[in-house]
Amino acid sequence: MTWSARGFPYQEHEARRKVDQIGSVVMVGSGKGGVGKSFVASGLALSLAGMARRTGVLDVDIHGASLPSYLRVRPPLRTGRRGIEPKRSGGVKVMSVALFTGQNPVPMRGDAKESLITQLVALTDWGPLDYLVVDLPPSMGDELLSAFRLFGGKSRFLLVTTPSPNALSVVARLRRLIASERIPLEGVVLNMAYASERRGRSYPFGVADASSVRKMLRADVIAELPLEPAVNSESLVEVLRKSKETSTAFKALADRVVRGP
Amino acid sequence: MHEMGIAGGIVEYSLSLVDERRASRVTEIWVEVGELMQVDVEALSEALRTLLSGPKLSGAKTNVKVRSAAFSCRRCGEGWKMDEVKKQLASVPSSLLVEEPDSDEVPLHFLPYLYPAFVHCPKCGSSDVAVADGQDVQLMRVVLE
Ligand SMILES: Nc1ncnc2c1ncn2[C@@H]1O[C@H](COP(=O)(O)OP(=O)(O)OP(=O)(O)O)[C@@H](O)[C@H]1O
Ligand SMILES: [Mg+2]
Ligand SMILES: [Zn+2]
């Protein structure tokens, strides 16, 4: 009896084995671009590691990878006996397409992106992790859907937005997709929610009060992060070390992720 | 680098076929590994031999072959092979090569699906390149008894 098995999904299989070694996946997304998803993903990952949780962070933003700059990691990667070794930053294991491609553009269409993300998960030697934080690109395209398919079973979603109504209306559309895909929503992170000044707080991106956000997104605001000008000049590890306000907010977020509401 | 892991996956999958098809054992396993996976064929065959034991697997013959990589241009339709790609890769800065301390091979260990970031069409110059073959492991044939 011969059985033809053309197309044995090896990397699919291997990616699943890798995912089996992860306790819980936290997807960080928004739908809207430039609201601070990568900032939140990196800060959350660092804070989880600070709570002695084995933490990895995966950048699935193929065209606009920015984790490497927040976490100050760069090529080259190395391979070990069990796969490609992720970079480390502040106790976090970091993997990003940009660690392979540097400044090269990555022209790529749909199906190839899906295969690439699967392969990236499959060939990385994550080891056992308590948390894998996934930094998603804007939009609701291939990267997001691939992440849902790979991690859906053990993931939760963090929605990042600024208080601006423009951002919120885009985020509301992603909210509906998350619901239809049955990914549990952990909550909403309001980034750049306020700026601290000597005389108190100002609100350069507007004010989004918690009850209207809850109404619009059917979820609670679980963290409010301040405008932190230092993120544009220093590594996030440094920023968290120096800024009590930002690190306290991230710690509270990590605490919520670990312990629930 | 990951021969044992790949062999494990293949064996696990073949075993599941025995149960699924209500057969009694596996007698042959034919595998093709994509050139871009940079798998050592000898090491993979060896790893398979090590894992093929027990009543459903022992004595199974294995056949491991490399499957050539193929690339194609989405703009003009041109197709080409690895020899052309190797020429182009010579200009990739060494800072982007994945280091492989355990191997004496040339360190060209990119992710197979990431080749489009380093390769362009030899005919029209476009970067809209697709990896058409050689990027994965395929189980071609499993013979059961
Ligand atoms: N809390 C903050 N305070 C100050 N600047 C911030 C803050 N959050 C993000 N930024 C800045 O805003 C820009 C966008 O941030 P980031 O890259 O994290 O957003 P993103 O949502 O991941 O973007 P993309 O949609 O491109 O993935 C960056 O320049 C970043 O430094
Ligand atoms: Mg980003
Ligand atoms: Zn061409």
Side-chain angles (χ1 to χ4, degrees):
Chain A
M1 181 172 11
T2 302
W3 191 75
S4 290
R6 199 175 292 267
F8 162 63
Y10 162 72
Q11 58 180 40
E12 192 69 39
H13 177 93
E14 190 56 30
R16 301 242 164 254
R17 294 217 297 201
K18 292 286 163 36
V19 174
D20 284 344
Q21 295 189 54
I22 300 170
S24 173
V25 176
V26 183
M27 294 197 234
V28 180
S30 172
K32 181 79 177 165
V35 294
K37 297 175 290 296
S38 303
F39 172 63
V40 170
S42 314
L44 172 62
L46 289 171
S47 300
L48 286 167
M51 294 171 74
R53 297 307 193 279
R54 295 168 298 178
T55 307
V57 61
L58 171 67
D59 187 353
V60 300
D61 193 342
I62 294 170
H63 306 295
S66 39
L67 279 191
S69 75
Y70 279 114
L71 296 170
R72 296 290 198 267
V73 292
R74 58 183 134 133
L77 289 159
R78 306 164 40 119
T79 58
R81 295 177 56 77
R82 288 182 310 269
I84 303 166
E85 294 167 0
K87 291 277 173 183
R88 282 171 179 275
S89 171
V92 174
K93 292 180 175 172
V94 188
M95 186 49 88
S96 166
V97 164
L99 290 170
F100 296 87
T101 55
Q103 296 301 107
N104 281 25
V106 188
M108 199 168 281
R109 286 193 175 75
D111 282 355
K113 285 191 200 175
E114 167 121 50
S115 304
L116 171 62
I117 291 170
T118 307
Q119 191 161 63
L120 188 60
V121 172
L123 299 188
T124 300
D125 177 19
W126 295 102
L129 291 178
D130 297 315
Y131 291 96
L132 180 69
V133 178
V134 178
D135 181 22
L136 296 165
S139 96
M140 291 167 233
D142 303 285
E143 295 87 341
L144 185 84
L145 298 174
S146 306
F148 283 3
R149 201 179 50 76
L150 270 174
F151 306 117
K154 49 170 66 175
S155 61
R156 291 174 275 166
F157 209 99
L158 270 186
L159 272 175
V160 181
T161 182
T162 66
S164 139
N166 295 335
L168 278 163
S169 73
V170 178
V171 176
R173 289 200 282 269
L174 177 58
R175 170 67 182 99
R176 297 177 64 171
L177 180 65
I178 296 168
S180 76
E181 298 311 304
R182 298 201 177 81
I183 309 284
L185 180 57
E186 182 78 40
V188 178
V189 177
L190 269 189
N191 187 31
M192 306 189 238
Y194 61 90
S196 284
E197 285 160 14
R198 224 170 294 150
R199 292 158 182 278
R201 291 180 171 186
S202 67
Y203 301 90
F205 293 96
V207 181
D209 74 279
S211 76
S212 57
V213 172
R214 192 177 309 121
K215 226 187 201 156
M216 201 164 173
L217 300 179
R218 284 173 292 127
D220 291 329
V221 174
I222 57 170
E224 296 193 26
L225 299 169
L227 205 70
E228 176 56 79
V231 297
N232 296 300
S233 53
E234 288 177 277
S235 81
L236 198 51
V237 171
E238 277 295 293
V239 171
L240 293 183
R241 207 164 55 79
K242 288 183 186 162
S243 162
K244 184 120 198 292
E245 199 173 24
T246 301
S247 66
T248 308
F250 270 121
K251 268 188 202 132
L253 177 61
D255 208 62
R256 155 83 193 218
V257 164
V258 170
R259 291 184 230 288
Chain B
M1 84 194 184
H2 40 215
E3 286 82 6
M4 203 53 170
I6 294 173
I10 291 169
V11 168
E12 211 175 282
Y13 199 70
S14 307
L15 264 181
S16 73
L17 288 176
V18 174
D19 297 338
E20 198 183 299
R21 314 264 140 171
R22 299 209 178 82
S24 58
R25 62 189 202 101
V26 178
T27 56
E28 290 172 40
I29 296 179
W30 296 65
V31 183
E32 290 190 9
V33 285
E35 189 173 12
L36 300 179
M37 288 292 286
Q38 304 236 335
V39 163
D40 180 338
V41 169
E42 260 320 299
L44 180 58
S45 309
E46 184 57 43
L48 280 170
R49 275 194 293 277
T50 319
L51 296 177
L52 291 173
S53 62
K56 292 178 183 169
L57 294 170
S58 72
K61 289 204 187 67
T62 60
N63 183 303
V64 181
K65 247 180 30 191
V66 174
R67 193 180 175 97
S68 300
F71 297 81
S72 64
C73 175
R74 309 282 296 250
R75 292 286 293 275
C76 76
E78 178 77 352
W80 64 97
K81 297 273 187 193
M82 199 59 189
D83 47 356
E84 167 63 28
V85 169
K86 280 195 174 135
K87 277 189 263 166
Q88 295 189 19
L89 292 180
S91 63
V92 173
S94 64
S95 62
L96 286 180
L97 300 178
V98 177
E99 294 170 355
E100 199 173 7
D102 297 344
S103 158
D104 347 308
E105 272 176 61
V106 195
L108 280 182
H109 234 304
F110 308 122
L111 285 193
Y113 279 98
L114 268 182
Y115 273 77
F118 302 99
V119 174
H120 52 258
C121 171
K123 189 166 157 206
C124 78
S126 169
S127 301
D128 192 357
V129 164
V131 183
D133 207 344
Q135 68 280 64
D136 201 355
V137 176
Q138 307 205 24
L139 196 54
M140 304 304 289
R141 199 144 67 93
V142 181
V143 183
L144 307 171
E145 199 178 82

